Amino acid sequence: MTRPEPDPVPTLLDTRGVSPRSREEKRDQLRRGLEAILQQTGGGSRLPPERELADRLGVARETLRRALDELQARGLLERRQGAGTFVTGQSWLKPLVLRSFTEDMRERGLVASSELLSHGVRRADAKVALKLKAVPGSEMFEVRRLRLASGEPMAIEHAFLPRARLPGFDPARLARHSLYELLQREYGLAVRNAAQEIQATVLTEDEALLLEVAPFSPALLVERLVYSTDGDPIEYGKSLYRADRYRFEVNVGRAVPPGEGDAGGDAA
C-alpha cells in the first residue's frame, strides 16, 4: 500500500489558491524582508548567495530573483559579473529649497502619498505658541503623517497649524492632499520661506517600525518653521527622514568683510 504524497510546503510567495490581495501581502512581506537585509548589510557590502537568501526568506529562487531585479531597478542593488550582488547604499539628495514632500517626490518622478497617523486639536504649549506667535493655550491643529514615495516609507512628519488662521480646516484631508497646496488654494496662504534646523538622531522602535528599518537606525531630524507671504508663521513641525534614503544639499557663499569686495588683485 503506497502512501499518498504529502502536500508541498508552501513558500512565502506560494500563490496557488490565494486571492490577489493575499499575493500582494506576500510580495510586501518579501520586499520588507529583503529591505531589512539590505539595511543590516550596509552600503558596499555583498549580499549572501541567492540560494542562501531564498532559503532564509522561504521563497523560490525565481521569485527571489524577480524581487532582486526590482531592487536593482530602483538603484538599491548592483550586480557584478562573477562577483555577486552588492548593496549600493544609494541615498536621495534633498536640496534645501522650500517645497512640500509632494512636490519633492513629483520632481523625482515618484508618487507621494500619506498615511495619517493621528490628528486633532490641542492647546499650544509655551514652545509651540512662541514659534507660531500665539498665546500659550491657544488651539492648534496637530497632525502626524507617514510620508511615502511610491509606497516606500520615507519620513514621519509632526506638524502644528494655528486653528485661528484656518477656519473650517479638516486635518483628515492631509491623508490625500498636500498641505501647502491646500493653504494656497483654499486660504490664499502662499508659503514664502522657512527656518530649518537639521540634526542627526536615531529612531525609536516605534518610529523604525513605521519607516520599515531596524530599531535605532540613524535618521535626520528636521525642525522647521514655515512663514506665509504675509510674514506670519503658518506651520511649525518636525520631520524624521530615513538617513539611508536622504542627504541634504546646502549651497553657501563666502561672507566678504566690508571693503574687501572692492579690492583689486587676483582671486585666490
Side-chain angles (χ1 to χ4, degrees):
M1 183 175 178
T2 60
R3 296 182 180 179
E5 291 292 329
D7 293 333
V9 177
T11 64
L12 185 64
L13 285 189
D14 188 346
T15 58
R16 294 168 296 177
V18 299
S19 67
R21 181 174 180 179
S22 296
R23 286 196 294 270
E24 186 62 32
E25 290 173 351
K26 291 182 178 181
R27 290 190 189 98
D28 286 343
Q29 187 178 352
L30 173 58
R31 177 181 60 82
R32 289 194 297 270
L34 278 173
E35 290 180 348
I37 291 173
L38 264 61
Q39 177 74 15
Q40 295 164 3
T41 304
S45 301
R46 186 174 65 180
L47 286 181
E50 287 185 1
R51 183 183 300 278
E52 180 181 332
L53 273 179
D55 290 343
R56 185 190 306 185
L57 294 168
V59 298
R61 289 186 66 181
E62 185 60 33
T63 300
L64 173 69
R65 194 169 290 119
R66 286 197 297 269
L68 293 175
D69 287 343
E70 292 178 6
L71 293 177
Q72 183 179 11
R74 287 166 52 190
L76 302 179
L77 293 178
E78 177 187 0
R79 286 190 171 102
R80 302 176 189 172
Q81 186 67 33
T85 302
F86 292 79
V87 181
T88 63
Q90 179 190 34
S91 60
W92 291 358
L93 181 67
K94 181 177 177 61
L96 277 181
V97 294
L98 183 55
R99 60 188 180 197
S100 68
F101 182 87
T102 300
E103 293 166 338
D104 193 18
M105 294 303 104
R106 191 181 295 148
E107 183 75 15
R108 303 173 192 274
L110 301 170
V111 178
S113 60
S114 301
E115 290 183 13
L116 201 58
L117 302 175
S118 63
H119 68 88
V121 176
R122 60 165 281 186
R123 300 285 181 179
D125 59 23
K127 180 177 180 179
V128 172
L130 178 63
K131 293 287 187 181
L132 292 171
K133 296 184 179 179
V135 177
S138 57
E139 293 186 335
M140 299 285 168
F141 292 113
E142 181 180 16
V143 184
R144 289 184 73 245
R145 290 186 292 174
L146 177 66
R147 310 308 303 271
L148 304 98
S150 296
E152 184 177 11
M154 288 292 157
I156 300 171
E157 293 182 353
H158 187 187
F160 295 90
L161 306 160
R163 189 179 187 185
R165 300 193 66 191
L166 303 173
F169 181 72
D170 180 8
R173 298 181 62 193
L174 296 180
R176 304 179 305 279
H177 299 281
S178 164
L179 169 62
Y180 295 165
E181 290 175 2
L182 282 178
L183 293 178
Q184 170 80 55
R185 184 173 64 247
E186 301 187 6
Y187 296 93
L189 293 170
V191 170
R192 184 189 69 187
N193 66 296
Q196 293 193 141
E197 183 178 303
I198 305 171
Q199 59 181 295
T201 187
V202 294
L203 299 170
T204 66
E205 292 185 2
D206 289 341
E207 292 164 347
L209 183 63
L210 287 171
L211 292 174
E212 297 182 4
V213 296
F216 313 114
S217 293
L220 296 171
L221 174 62
V222 180
E223 184 174 358
R224 180 160 69 176
L225 182 60
V226 179
Y227 294 85
S228 59
T229 49
D230 61 11
D232 289 328
I234 190 60
E235 178 202 15
Y236 167 66
K238 295 183 178 182
S239 298
L240 278 170
Y241 290 91
R242 288 175 52 169
D244 65 330
R245 290 291 182 270
Y246 272 93
R247 58 190 176 96
F248 287 81
E249 179 184 65
V250 182
N251 292 314
V252 297
R254 181 176 180 273
V256 180
E260 284 193 11
D262 299 327
D266 295 332

